[in-house]
């Protein structure tokens, strides 16, 4: 009886696994990533991107004494963790008044050039400590561009996304922001990543202001993201009385350093918005680099396929 019960339990477990695999593989997938290359726009505060082939099929053929049957290729890449299409900031990426999130001494955390926390201070704020339970998470898209413009056209350069814009968009889409979500904001600027890189990385772009960032922080998301180079409104400046003293990148400091909220940049959100998909399973897999300040991502969203009128899957 015990053996029969165990066999039945194993069969039930295998069937649940098969059902789970079927559900996931049948899901509709939205690729949120652009293709990254040497022409991709990069914020001026970051080092340039470079890739070259260190080995080619021409110069490796015959290396193994097999009469030239095998050849291979490999590359060398130079880039910052804040590069990619998209990319995510580690919590140790931004300091505010000399402190990282949780009051960690920012200078001490990066006293070793090998990475954040390599001398024992603030190691938990490197990208290698990204929470594994958030590799998949509930994602919410706020299509602010459509809510403001009434169509799919982009917001104007320097457009300030305020708390009211975010609240109005959530209300119009009938979505609720929940603690621990990843909240994505569509400005419509994703098209410029490839169509007009100079505009995309120029001096002005739309994004949340301090007011918008405070709205987000109050809802305690795990991460936020957008389809722009810097997430926050650019120029990224704040002045009294909005903040006590003049600040540069105030939204980054407020979200990352003050509240421990990751920021994701360079998302492609147009297909999600066109499909009016505002809630989804979001997959965010950072590269697990010890002490890394961030990571490029190959990120995507999953939603169930809807049946057509005949009951067949799309």
């Amino acid at each position: 009886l015990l053996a029969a019960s165990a066999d039945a339990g194993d069969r039930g477990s295998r069937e649940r696994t098969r059902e789970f695999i079927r559900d996931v593989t049948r899901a509709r997938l939205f690729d949120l990533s652009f293709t990254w290359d040497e022409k991709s726009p990069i914020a001026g505060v970051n080092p340039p991107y470079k890739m070259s082939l260190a080995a080619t099929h021409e110069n490796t053929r015959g290396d193994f004494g097999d009469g030239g049957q095998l050849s291979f290729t490999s590359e060398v890449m130079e880039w910052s963790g804040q590069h990619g299409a998209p990319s995510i900031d580690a919590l140790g990426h931004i300091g505010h008044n000399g402190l990282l999130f949780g009051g960690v001494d920012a200078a001490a955390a990066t006293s070793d050039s090998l990475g954040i926390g390599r001398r024992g201070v603030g190691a938990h704020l490197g990208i290698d400590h990204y929470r594994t339970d958030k590799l998949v998470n509930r994602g919410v898209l706020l299509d602010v561009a459509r809510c403001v413009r009434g169509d799919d056209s982009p917001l104007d350069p320097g457009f300030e996304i305020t708390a009211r814009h975010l609240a109005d968009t959530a209300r119009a889409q009938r979505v609720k922001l929940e603690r621990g979500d990843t909240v994505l904001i569509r400005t419509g600027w994703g098209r410029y990543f490839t169509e007009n890189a100079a505009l995309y990385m120029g001096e002005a772009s739309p994004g949340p202001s301090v007011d918008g960032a405070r709205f987000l922080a109050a809802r305690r998301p795990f991460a936020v993201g957008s389809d722009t180079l810097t997430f926050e409104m650019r120029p990224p400046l704040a002045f009294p009385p909005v903040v006590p003293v003049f600040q540069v990148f105030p939204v980054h400091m407020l979200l990352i350093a003050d509240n421990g909220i990751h920021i994701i940049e360079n998302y492609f959100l147009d297909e999600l918005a066109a499909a009016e998909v505002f809630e989804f399973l979001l997959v965010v897999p950072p590269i697990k680099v010890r002490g890394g300040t961030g990571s490029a991502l190959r990120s995507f969203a999953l939603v169930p396929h809807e049946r057509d009128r005949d009951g067949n899957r799309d």
Side-chain angles (χ1 to χ4, degrees), residues 160 209-212 214 237-245 247 250 254:
E160 177 186 356
S209 62
V210 170
D211 182 62
R214 287 172 177 159
L237 307 174
F239 303 87
V242 175
V243 291
V245 295
Q247 293 182 356
L254 191 156

Side-chain angles (χ1 to χ4, degrees), residues 8 10 25 36 56 67 139 141 146 179 182 190 196-197 205 210 233 252-253 281 285 300 313:
D10 288 344
T25 55
W36 187 261
T56 69
L141 173 67
R146 180 169 291 277
R179 184 185 182 95
T182 298
N196 191 341
S205 66
V210 170
M233 178 183 67
H252 273 66
M253 290 193 294
L281 178 68
F300 53 92
R313 290 193 177 271

